[in-house]
Amino acid sequence: MTTDLRYPIGKFAPPASSTPDDRRGRIEEIAELPAALRAAVDGLSAAQLDTPYRPGGWTVRQVAHHVPDSHINAYVRFRLALTEQEPTIRPYEEKAWAELADARTLPPDVSLALLDALHDRWTTLLRALPDAAWGRRLHHPESGVHTLDWMLALYAWHGRHHVAHVTSLRERMGW
């Protein structure tokens, strides 16, 4: 853990390489994320859900809605990379998405249900990929060309990162 509230588990560090065991572990992290996020927000009051995880940061509610927003984009990006030659994917304004009415007001259960279904599909796809598929690439206009191996590591980290936003807030606040 780190003392930087923005990065409670540290910043993403891309792996130098990935083995089939590394991939299986990351896929399991992605598979377990919906339950981990559900446990992180379980029992929180409306006021607690509307508490920012850090000064100037998103509320717990916004974090709970951001994760499926982000992972929907990731799922689509994987599918594009698997069906097209080095597609250029479209970025989205995640900060603006977090300010939309649904992300600011809906109960987290709505997005947790979405995350359950999404991760069922995503992990089914990931578990079926042959080793050669992990080298497929996509182009992100803001960050460059990435392999699916890199993307898998990023999104396994991304889930842990946001769960830690909530769990570290709960620890600090004694919730």
Side-chain angles (χ1 to χ4, degrees), residues 7-90:
Y7 299 100
I9 63 168
K11 290 184 179 183
F12 174 63
S17 62
S18 293
T19 67
D21 283 342
D22 294 332
R23 288 182 198 113
R24 278 189 288 279
R26 291 178 186 127
I27 292 167
E28 286 312 304
E29 287 184 61
I30 289 171
E32 294 166 1
L33 174 64
L37 185 57
R38 182 173 275 105
V41 302
D42 187 51
L44 293 177
S45 69
Q48 290 168 328
L49 289 169
D50 292 329
T51 301
Y53 72 87
R54 67 174 175 86
W58 290 338
T59 65
V60 171
R61 184 184 312 272
Q62 287 171 303
V63 169
H65 293 304
H66 162 74
V67 173
D69 286 346
S70 174
H71 289 201
I72 286 169
N73 278 282
Y75 173 68
V76 169
R77 291 168 180 178
F78 267 80
R79 293 179 70 84
L80 289 169
L82 290 166
T83 59
E84 299 176 16
Q85 279 306 114
E86 200 171 300
T88 296
I89 56 98
R90 187 180 185 287

Side-chain angles (χ1 to χ4, degrees), residues 9 41 60 104 120 137 173:
I9 63 168
V41 302
V60 171
R104 288 185 297 101
D120 281 347
R137 300 157 31 127
M173 300 298 283

